[in-house]
Amino acid sequence: MEMIRNVVIGISGGVDSAVAALLLKNRGFNITGVFMKNWDIRDETGKCAIERDYDDARWICDKLKIPLIQVDFVKEYWNEVFSDLVEKYQNGYTPNPDILCNKKIKFNKFFHLACSRFEADAIATGHYAKTSFGPYLENYKADTNVCLLQAQDSNKDQTFFLSQVSQQILRRCMFPLGNYLKSHVKTMALEAGLHQIAWKKESMGICFVGKRKFQDFISEYIKDKPGDYIDLDSGLSIGRHSGVHKRTIGQRCKIASCLKPYYVFSKDLKTNTIIVVSSTTHPALYTDFLITQDIHWINQEPRWNNGVLNCNFRFQHRNPLIACKVYMSKDRLFIRLDVPLRAITKGQYAVLYFGEECLGSSMVSCTGPSLFCT
């Protein structure tokens, strides 16, 4: 096995990356901490959460006695993640910035910087995930592909967000927390004297939105374009919206002219209308068929049984896995779910699993009966 000594770890200022760094240090690796600055625009309060997180990251590294370097990926994040997000919202999609950020920035840019600037043998993060090479690459083999595996803590498993990371980079990734429960991670932090971080509130939602309503945030980047809300069942206009980019499938809408709530069924960019239904469990919101594009297999293309792949599917991080049948035609996947699911939306990712292995993911481009997907 190749000797792996120099490890560069992403330090976010949270308990997970802090304990991951602690575990690496205790195993004798030569560690360098890197804090990635990906966003620098202040929120509506005039504050930038990045600054607070950097202070916490500095405190962690001082406690662990490891160096911390701040690197600036703001330009790269804007060009490769945020601009793509804005474009997709303009085109009626609901993208997942976390998956794209991991693919483009937190692993790709970070990995190449770690290797070129810090002569890293491997990178590490505080993600809850495992690989077939082990948490410290103890099973690394130069002539063998690595598999991405679900974490021990099923409630915290983050393989969903890593489903677009390349094979080349994943081969050199350490995930020290893959075999631990979140509760154990917090205990280890407290035992190491990292009390300030152990009780820190976890960040939720999209990092750059802050405490603002998403509709207000996205209007800073996409011009409002008012149009009609159309009731799917009656075909009648029941109110006005301020822009299709502000709504996503399945979302509840408060329409001024209506006493009862409505929910987004679809968005028509040509007519600038949002079609809505009057119940959160309306049958139109459920589908068992979708088409995806931009296929990414983490290890290699899986084995097909007479043109069919039987595996499991999810399109949201915490959703239970659903059995499905997958068919491939050229550069697209056709996925038939065993159980209809609510509000699958264009731009989201279909993430596929076989057993504990995450096979990869593909972006949803169409949902609904095959008759309407062309």
Side-chain angles (χ1 to χ4, degrees), residues 200-236:
K200 180 179 178 180
K201 186 177 180 180
E202 291 191 62
S203 59
M204 302 294 287
I206 303 174
C207 61
F208 46 74
V209 175
K211 296 180 180 179
R212 288 166 288 188
K213 290 183 179 180
F214 178 80
Q215 289 86 351
D216 296 334
F217 171 81
I218 199 66
S219 287
E220 297 177 16
Y221 301 93
I222 301 175
K223 185 178 179 180
D224 286 357
K225 186 179 179 182
D228 288 329
Y229 281 116
I230 303 295
D231 185 306
L232 175 68
D233 296 314
S234 69
L236 299 176

Side-chain angles (χ1 to χ4, degrees), residues 237-240 254-259:
S237 173
I238 57 172
R240 299 282 287 174
K254 291 183 179 180
I255 302 174
S257 59
C258 301
L259 295 177

Side-chain angles (χ1 to χ4, degrees), residues 13-33:
V15 66
D16 295 329
S17 60
V19 172
L22 172 68
L23 292 170
L24 288 166
K25 182 180 179 182
N26 289 345
R27 290 185 70 94
F29 290 105
N30 179 30
I31 310 167
T32 299

Side-chain angles (χ1 to χ4, degrees), residues 80 101-113 169:
E80 299 185 36
C101 180
N102 282 330
K103 176 182 181 178
K104 299 285 189 176
I105 308 297
K106 290 186 178 179
F107 285 82
N108 187 30
K109 298 295 182 184
F110 172 44
F111 175 79
H112 289 103
L113 177 139
I169 293 171

Side-chain angles (χ1 to χ4, degrees), residues 75-320:
K75 180 179 178 181
E76 291 84 352
Y77 186 90
W78 184 276
N79 291 336
E80 299 185 36
V81 178
F82 190 72
S83 295
D84 178 84
L85 178 140
V86 171
E87 181 182 357
K88 282 188 168 62
Y89 271 110
Q90 286 177 315
N91 292 324
Y93 285 64
T94 299
N96 189 312
D98 293 321
I99 289 180
L100 194 58
C101 180
N102 282 330
K103 176 182 181 178
K104 299 285 189 176
I105 308 297
K106 290 186 178 179
F107 285 82
N108 187 30
K109 298 295 182 184
F110 172 44
F111 175 79
H112 289 103
L113 177 139
C115 293
S116 62
R117 182 172 168 184
F118 302 110
E119 299 181 345
D121 299 314
I123 60 171
T125 73
H127 285 91
Y128 287 82
K130 295 191 291 186
T131 76
S132 54
F133 283 176
Y136 306 103
L137 300 185
E138 58 269 35
N139 301 321
Y140 174 83
K141 294 181 181 179
D143 58 350
T144 303
N145 277 2
V146 68
C147 299
L148 179 64
L149 309 174
Q150 295 183 75
Q152 182 71 26
D153 192 332
S154 58
N155 290 323
K156 295 299 295 182
D157 175 64
Q158 292 173 300
T159 52
F160 179 89
F161 298 114
L162 305 177
S163 61
Q164 286 275 310
V165 175
S166 74
Q167 172 68 204
Q168 175 196 8
I169 293 171
L170 193 63
R171 289 167 58 81
R172 293 288 186 159
C173 287
M174 292 184 176
F175 299 112
L177 305 188
N179 292 319
Y180 293 100
L181 300 178
K182 177 73 176 195
S183 57
H184 193 181
V185 169
K186 285 195 172 185
T187 299
M188 287 190 285
L190 293 170
E191 291 174 347
L194 300 173
H195 298 78
Q196 174 179 318
I197 301 301
W199 301 118
K200 180 179 178 180
K201 186 177 180 180
E202 291 191 62
S203 59
M204 302 294 287
I206 303 174
C207 61
F208 46 74
V209 175
K211 296 180 180 179
R212 288 166 288 188
K213 290 183 179 180
F214 178 80
Q215 289 86 351
D216 296 334
F217 171 81
I218 199 66
S219 287
E220 297 177 16
Y221 301 93
I222 301 175
K223 185 178 179 180
D224 286 357
K225 186 179 179 182
D228 288 329
Y229 281 116
I230 303 295
D231 185 306
L232 175 68
D233 296 314
S234 69
L236 299 176
S237 173
I238 57 172
R240 299 282 287 174
H241 64 78
S242 57
V244 295
H245 58 280
K246 294 184 175 184
R247 298 296 178 184
T248 189
I249 308 305
Q251 183 182 18
R252 178 175 175 171
C253 303
K254 291 183 179 180
I255 302 174
S257 59
C258 301
L259 295 177
K260 62 182 180 180
Y262 278 80
Y263 302 84
V264 177
F265 162 64
S266 66
K267 301 182 289 185
D268 189 328
L269 271 66
K270 291 182 180 179
T271 61
N272 193 39
T273 57
I274 297 177
I275 297 88
V276 295
V277 292
S278 58
S279 170
T280 186
T281 58
H282 193 289
L285 293 175
Y286 291 79
T287 184
D288 63 356
F289 179 82
L290 58 144
I291 298 176
T292 70
Q293 62 187 46
D294 303 330
I295 306 165
H296 174 70
W297 302 116
I298 292 172
N299 179 358
Q300 57 189 6
E301 185 175 322
R303 294 181 180 178
W304 302 82
N305 183 11
N306 294 322
V308 181
L309 172 64
N310 291 285
C311 60
N312 292 315
F313 162 95
R314 66 162 50 109
F315 73 102
Q316 291 179 331
H317 168 43
R318 295 190 180 278
N319 281 14

